[in-house]
Structure formats: structure tokens, C-alpha cells
Amino acid sequence: MLPPLPITQQYLLPKKLLTVLAGKFASARLGSLTQWTIRRFVAHYRVDMQEAADPRIESYASFNDFFTRPLKPGARPIAAAPFVCPVDAAISQFGPIEHDQLFQAKGHSYSTRALVGGDQALAHKFEHGHFATLYLAPKDYHRIHMPCDGRLKRMIYVPGDLFSVNPLTARHVPSLFARNERVVCEFECAHGAMVMVLVGATIVGSMATVWHGVVNPPRTRDVREWRYDDREITLAKGQEMGRFLLGSTVVMLFPQNVLTFTPDWSPTRPVRLGEAMATVIETEAAL
């Protein structure tokens, strides 16, 4: 059975060129053209500007300034749960990692090792663990926060394709999240290792972290890695850790026997930054 036309088009389009051009436009300060673009975007996607720290469209000099806008203090209360949702998004998939396989969509899975850029030792930490994949739609708040307290261990840039990451594409492009460009952030938390993967996509101009700034561009052909063993970079639950300059997806990895997702979580459900995501599994040793 042939894939839908929008999927076929993605294989044919010059995705990297389109993304570079979109990034240049989004970062440009074009006065009235920028304001017009933002107003059209807000109207089309029904963006709630009353949540923004500054709701005035004319206050944003570039589209990226608007897209990564901060929220008003208190707009996203952080729950007292051990693990909270790190973004405004829709749940794509979540659940157990079957040995080293993450479920993408019906008929499609991909390996933890491929997702983290081929590092088998890192992937091994999450065998039989749990994962959550969260899709950020264009209307969503696009800053990414910590699901729990964590100390940064390293960051890995993995080059790749730039397919869209919307639900339709996830159903039809094999290993989508392990073939797209991505930034892998490894943390050490109270309950062991934790990885947050920021997945790039068509038109995603770049990804940035609070400790590094913009990671891409440059878009290199080789994997790049930064280690932070000699630096004390600790981020608290709910604290900002990065942002997308145009939207995409976050994949989180947790080790075995660490957490249980809250009962009200289900695929396609909208979620918000700060809401309870999971509880800690009570082991026999802890009882």
C-alpha cells in the first residue's frame, strides 16, 4: 500500500534547504512583515497570547522571539509529583521499553541505541525501562523544562533527516525519531539516568539548551559530543532546559523499575508543562 501523498512529498522535498530558509526568516527582524506573520500565525493556530509574559504582538522583533516567548509567572504550576510533564504537547506514545525497542506507531518501533546516536553503553541503561514521546504542535509553548531534578552529564548532537514529526508522519515513516536530527541530553537523577532527546523536524530552525545556547546550526555530518563531568550543571524539576525554534518532539528515557505513568495518560491526550506525569515505583527495599 502506497503512503499518503503528504508522506511521499516529504521524501522528495529539499527539507534541509527549506529548514535553513525558514530559520533565516524566523530570526530576521523584518518590521511590519514580521508582525503580519505573527498575527496570521496567532489567528490560524488560535494561540492564547494572554498566557504570554508579554501578550503584545508588536513587542516581538522576530518570529523566533515570539515563538519562544516566556509565559506569565504562575501560568504553569509545577505539581508536587516526583515526575512532571516537561512541555505543553500531545502524548504521541509512552510506556515500557521492550528490551531496547520503543513503540512509535502501529507497525513501527525503533531502538534506543539508534535514538541516542549509536552509544550502546548509554542505551543499555534504559533496557526494559520506560519512555514517553511528546509532540509539540505549532500553537504550543516551545520551551522545554525538566521532568525531575537532574545533573547534566553530557550532550550529543546527532545529524539526521528532517521529516515532519506530526502523527501522520509517525504512522508512515519507519524509525522517524531515530532518523531525524536530534540533540540527546543525558542527566543523572535521584533515581538513576535520564535522557531527554530533542528531535528536529522540517522547518525547525534550530534547537537550543540553557547551558550551551543554539546547538544547530551548524549542521554537521558527524556526531558531536560535549561532556560536563568537570562542571556542576544541575537543573531543578520544572526549570527550563532548552527550547525549539519552531516546533518538534521530545522523547524521554527512564531506567527499569523507576516510574509508573499516571493513570490518566493516554496517546493523543493533550498535556501541559508542570502537570503530574509519573510516580516512583516503590521497591521492596524502600518498603
Side-chain angles (χ1 to χ4, degrees), residues 104 110 115 133 165 170 175-180 182 199 249 251:
Q104 176 177 303
Y110 58 99
L115 178 68
T133 304
V165 290
S175 300
L176 174 63
F177 305 117
R179 71 190 294 172
N180 267 16
R182 54 207 178 278
V199 184
T249 287
V251 182

Side-chain angles (χ1 to χ4, degrees), residues 80-84 130 147-149 189-192 237 254-263 276-287:
F83 300 93
V84 300
H130 285 81
C148 58
D149 296 348
C189 304
H191 305 286
K237 181 181 73 173
F254 300 93
Q256 186 178 16
N257 296 328
V258 165
L259 58 75
T260 299
F261 289 102
T262 56
M277 180 178 73
T279 58
V280 176
I281 292 177
E282 293 185 357
T283 63
E284 291 184 4
L287 297 177

Side-chain angles (χ1 to χ4, degrees), residues 66-178:
F66 153 73
F67 201 78
T68 60
R69 63 196 176 278
L71 299 178
K72 290 178 180 177
R76 296 291 185 276
I78 305 301
F83 300 93
V84 300
C85 184
V87 289
D88 284 6
I91 300 170
S92 177
Q93 298 293 340
F94 72 103
I97 299 171
E98 303 292 346
H99 185 60
D100 73 336
Q101 293 291 303
L102 285 73
F103 181 67
Q104 176 177 303
K106 185 177 180 180
H108 296 300
S109 295
Y110 58 99
S111 76
T112 310
R113 179 176 179 176
L115 178 68
V116 300
D119 188 325
Q120 183 57 54
L122 178 57
H124 182 71
K125 296 179 181 181
F126 304 102
E127 283 192 6
H128 305 295
H130 285 81
F131 80 98
T133 304
L134 305 176
Y135 167 67
L136 286 73
K139 66 178 178 58
D140 289 324
Y141 168 66
H142 275 79
R143 297 192 182 196
I144 307 151
H145 296 245
M146 293 290 290
C148 58
D149 296 348
R151 182 178 184 271
L152 181 66
K153 300 280 287 183
R154 62 174 164 162
M155 180 174 71
I156 308 167
Y157 167 79
V158 185
D161 290 324
L162 288 169
F163 284 94
S164 169
V165 290
N166 62 32
L168 177 65
T169 310
R171 291 195 296 271
H172 291 279
V173 176
S175 300
L176 174 63
F177 305 117

Side-chain angles (χ1 to χ4, degrees), residues 265-280:
W265 266 43
S266 60
T268 73
R269 177 185 181 272
V271 289
R272 283 190 137 192
L273 164 66
E275 71 174 54
M277 180 178 73
T279 58
V280 176

